[in-house]
Amino acid sequence: MTAVAGDGDRGRRGRGPLSLIAEAEFRKLWSVGVLMGAMRWLELLAIGVWTYALTESPVAVAMMTILRMLPMALFGTVIGAMAERLDRKAILVASQAIMAVTSSLLALLVAAGAIELWHVGVGAFVNGLCWSTDLPVRRTILGESVGADRIGPAMSMDSASNNATRMVGPLAGGALYAAVGLSGAYAVAAVFYAVSALVAVSIRFTPVPQEPRPFALIAEIREGLAFLRRTRALLGHLGVTVTVNMFAFPYAAMAPVVGRETFGVDAVRIGLLLTVEGIGAFAGAVAIAFLATPAWFRRIYVCGSALFMAAVLAFSVTTSYSMALIILTIGGFGIAGFASMQSAIMFGEAPVAIRSRLMGVLSVCIGAGPIGVLHVGWLADRIGGSLALTVIATEGLVVMAILLLVVPELRRPGSPAFSVPAATDREGRDGASS
C-alpha cells in the first residue's frame, strides 16, 4: 500500500478481522506492536524481580514501573502534536532502534558486573519514552491505513496481539531471569527491538493529507484540548482511561511482591500470574474483533474496565495461588474490553485534523499510571502488597461509579461518529463533537 485507501476502495474491501490479516502493511504494523509488547512485559517482569531481590523494597519495584510509564504523562501530548507534522514512519523506526541500543548497553553492563540500580532506572525511562510514541504514531498509522470503517476490528486485533504478548512476555521474562539473569533478558529485548526496527523500515505508508499551516506547538496542543472540553463523551472516555491506569494496572507492579509475600512462589510462577491474564485478554480481544459493532463500543469499554478492577480486588483477597490464576484469567477479559475500545473510540471520534493530538492526550491519560504505581507501592510498604491492592481496586470502583453518574454519555450505546464520514480539517478546527 502506497497511499491511504479512499472511501471507494474501503467499500470493496472486506470489513472483518481476516481481511486485515490478508493485508501486508497491517501485518507489519501489527508485528511491530507484537514485538514491542512482548519486550515491554519481559523487561517489566525481569526488572521487577531483580529490583526486589536487590532492595527488598516494594517502593523500589514501583519506581521502576513509574520510570517506564512516566514519559507518556510528560510527553504524550507533545509527541501527538509533533506526529502530525513529522514523518510518523521515521519516528516509529527511530523509537525501535533507540530501544535496541538501550537494551544492548544494559545487557553489556550486567554482563560486565557494572550494573547499578540507577542504570536500570535510566534505561526504563528511555525505553518508556520510545514506548510513548505508540498511540500517536504506530496506532494512528494503523488506523489511517485500514480506514475508519474497520477501526473496531483493527484495534481489537492489535489489542489481541498486545494481550498475547502478556502471555509470552512475563513468562519468558521469568524464565530468562531464572536461567541467565537480567543480562539475558536485556539481550533478548535488544534483538527483538532491532528486528522490530527492520520491520518498521519496510512499512509503506502515505498519511492523510492535511491543510498546510504554520507549526505552533503550544497553540496546537491547546486546540486539541479545547476540542475535548466541548466533547463530554470523550472527556468521560479519558476519565475511564485515567481510572483504570491509576487503580487497576498498577497491580502488575505488585505481582513480584504479592507472589513472594502471599503465595511464596518463584519468578517463573510470578510470570505465570501475568501470563494467564494475557490469555483471558487475548481470547476476549479476538471475540470483540469478530463480534463487536460500533453500537456496543462504549459499553464494552466501560464494562470491561469495571470487570478488570473487580478482578484486581478479588485477586488481592485470595490466598490461593490456583484461585489467583482463575481470577486473573477472568480479569483478562475485562482488559480486552478496555484495551480494544480505548484506541478505537478515540480514533473513530477524533476529527482527522487533530487525531494525533488527541491520541497523544490519550497517551497522557495512560501515563497517569505512575501515580497509581507510586500509590500502591507506598501502601505496600506499610500494609503489604495484597492489602494495598485491595485499597486501590476499591478506590477505582468508586471512581468508576462516580464517572458513570457524572457523565451519562458513558452509559449510552453507540456513537454517531462511527456512522458518519470522517471529520474534515474544517470540522476539527470548529470543534465538531461526537
Side-chain angles (χ1 to χ4, degrees):
M1 176 178 66
T2 58
V4 175
D7 291 339
D9 294 328
R10 291 169 189 162
R12 291 190 293 271
R13 297 183 306 186
R15 291 173 180 263
L18 296 182
S19 71
L20 295 169
I21 300 301
E23 296 181 10
E25 303 312 313
F26 177 84
R27 291 198 304 271
K28 292 174 184 176
L29 288 161
W30 193 29
S31 298
V32 171
V34 169
L35 294 170
M36 287 178 65
M39 294 308 99
R40 178 196 186 200
W41 290 107
L42 182 152
E43 286 182 57
L44 283 175
L45 193 283
I47 289 171
V49 173
W50 179 82
T51 301
Y52 192 66
L54 179 69
T55 66
E56 296 186 353
S57 169
V59 170
V61 175
M63 283 302 300
M64 289 298 147
T65 304
I66 288 171
L67 288 170
R68 191 67 160 75
M69 299 172 65
L70 189 60
M72 296 187 78
L74 294 178
F75 306 112
T77 305
V78 174
I79 291 172
M82 294 179 65
E84 290 180 354
R85 297 308 189 93
L86 302 178
D87 185 336
R88 291 192 192 123
K89 176 182 170 180
I91 297 174
L92 181 61
V93 172
S95 66
Q96 306 307 302
I98 291 170
M99 288 192 286
V101 171
T102 302
S103 299
S104 297
L105 291 174
L106 289 168
L108 291 173
L109 284 172
V110 178
I115 194 73
E116 296 184 20
L117 190 61
W118 72 268
H119 294 141
V120 175
V122 170
F125 185 85
V126 171
N127 282 2
L129 179 61
C130 295
W131 177 267
S132 65
T133 66
D134 189 59
L135 282 174
V137 176
R138 187 188 66 86
R139 287 203 182 185
T140 301
I141 293 175
L142 186 150
E144 291 182 355
S145 298
V146 303
D149 58 330
R150 299 193 297 173
I151 191 63
M155 293 302 178
S156 295
M157 291 299 291
D158 193 59
S159 175
S161 65
N162 183 52
N163 288 318
T165 67
R166 298 166 75 93
M167 296 185 284
V168 178
L171 194 59
L176 277 171
Y177 185 84
V180 292
L182 189 61
S183 178
Y186 275 132
V188 169
V191 171
F192 277 75
Y193 283 136
V195 172
S196 181
L198 293 175
V199 173
V201 168
S202 71
I203 293 171
R204 293 180 296 163
F205 169 72
T206 300
V208 174
Q210 294 199 32
E211 176 183 302
R213 63 188 187 277
F215 180 53
L217 180 62
I218 302 301
E220 297 202 358
I221 291 174
R222 290 176 61 187
E223 182 183 29
L225 295 177
F227 172 82
L228 286 173
R229 286 197 297 270
R230 296 190 293 269
T231 315
R232 283 175 54 86
L234 284 183
L235 279 178
H237 174 82
L238 294 175
V240 173
T241 295
V242 171
T243 301
V244 173
N245 279 278
M246 284 187 62
F247 300 110
F249 278 117
Y251 99 90
M254 288 296 103
V257 179
V258 175
R260 294 288 175 87
E261 286 183 352
T262 304
F263 305 126
V265 296
D266 58 18
V268 174
R269 282 182 286 180
I270 291 172
L272 186 59
L273 288 170
L274 301 179
T275 296
V276 296
E277 171 215 294
I279 292 173
F282 174 76
V286 171
I288 290 170
F290 279 92
L291 302 175
T293 60
W296 284 92
F297 281 7
R298 189 82 66 190
R299 287 181 175 177
I300 291 171
Y301 182 65
V302 171
C303 292
S305 301
L307 175 60
F308 179 28
M309 286 188 285
V312 173
L313 179 60
F315 170 70
S316 72
V317 298
T318 186
T319 57
S320 167
Y321 179 76
S322 299
M323 182 59 66
L325 295 176
I326 295 172
I327 290 169
L328 290 179
T329 302
I330 295 171
F333 282 87
I335 291 175
F338 169 79
S340 297
M341 297 295 99
Q342 180 177 241
S343 297
I345 292 171
M346 181 59 75
F347 186 96
E349 299 185 20
V352 173
I354 58 173
R355 183 175 284 156
S356 284
R357 273 173 278 176
L358 297 191
M359 294 291 271
V361 174
L362 181 60
S363 293
V364 172
C365 293
I366 294 171
I371 300 173
V373 173
L374 186 61
H375 178 41
V376 75
W378 180 84
L379 287 171
D381 248 5
R382 287 154 178 78
I383 60 178
S386 293
L387 189 54
L389 291 181
T390 301
V391 171
I392 68 163
T394 302
E395 291 171 340
L397 289 169
V398 170
V399 173
M400 178 68 76
I402 294 172
L403 274 172
L404 291 174
L405 288 174
V406 173
V407 188
E409 289 85 352
L410 290 174
R411 306 195 302 269
R412 296 172 187 165
S415 167
F418 285 94
S419 58
V420 298
T424 64
D425 288 356
R426 174 74 180 177
E427 288 168 332
R429 292 192 300 275
D430 290 343
S433 62
S434 57

